[in-house]
Amino acid sequence: MQSIAERSGANQQVPAGQVIAAKGQIVRSLVILQKGQVSVNSVETGPVGQPILRPLYNVNAPAVIAAASLFSQSRSAYHIVTSAQSEVSVYPSNKDYLLKLIAAKPNIGVLALKSVYKD
């Protein structure tokens, strides 16, 4: 199943319970949470081998989701799921695109830095 972070597009309406980024997924998109809330979870293996999500904290809009993984170009350390009806915008990104975007729209850079700090 494709996560939200893999579906590019602006102002996507996302119901509660949708996966934004799965643990271990390489984050290649700038995901901006414009409205709503997401839950950041650790993933453990249950007694029968099924994954069990353990909520760590919630992130309220506005925020950049999985910003630390995006900027470090690493895999997501957490399983991130919408915990309420949300609106997200997803933009495929690389380092050059991010630098140009932040230079053109410093407010996105500030939002991303705040999100990395919260992570």
Side-chain angles (χ1 to χ4, degrees):
M1 174 182 241
Q2 188 180 44
S3 71
I4 302 301
E6 298 170 316
R7 294 189 334 211
S8 64
N11 305 320
Q12 298 178 47
Q13 299 301 311
V14 182
Q18 296 296 303
V19 176
I20 299 289
K23 181 178 179 181
Q25 174 183 348
I26 297 174
V27 179
R28 293 189 172 111
S29 296
L30 175 67
V31 181
I32 301 173
L33 178 67
Q34 295 171 305
K35 294 178 184 173
Q37 182 183 65
V38 298
S39 174
V40 178
N41 305 276
S42 66
V43 181
E44 300 174 10
T45 304
V48 189
Q50 81 282 14
I52 298 173
L53 298 181
R54 300 276 186 217
L56 298 173
Y57 58 93
N58 291 321
V59 176
N60 294 310
V64 174
I65 305 303
S69 297
L70 175 63
F71 286 111
S72 66
Q73 297 189 340
S74 62
R75 296 182 184 275
S76 176
Y78 305 106
H79 194 79
I80 305 168
V81 180
T82 54
S83 51
Q85 173 72 28
S86 301
E87 182 178 310
V88 298
S89 292
V90 181
Y91 305 100
S93 303
N94 59 36
K95 272 189 175 179
D96 291 333
Y97 173 81
L98 290 170
L99 291 174
K100 288 177 187 175
L101 178 66
I102 291 169
K105 297 184 177 184
N107 58 326
I108 291 178
V110 170
L111 183 61
L113 285 174
K114 285 181 182 179
S115 298
V116 168
Y117 175 74
K118 289 178 184 176
D119 275 353

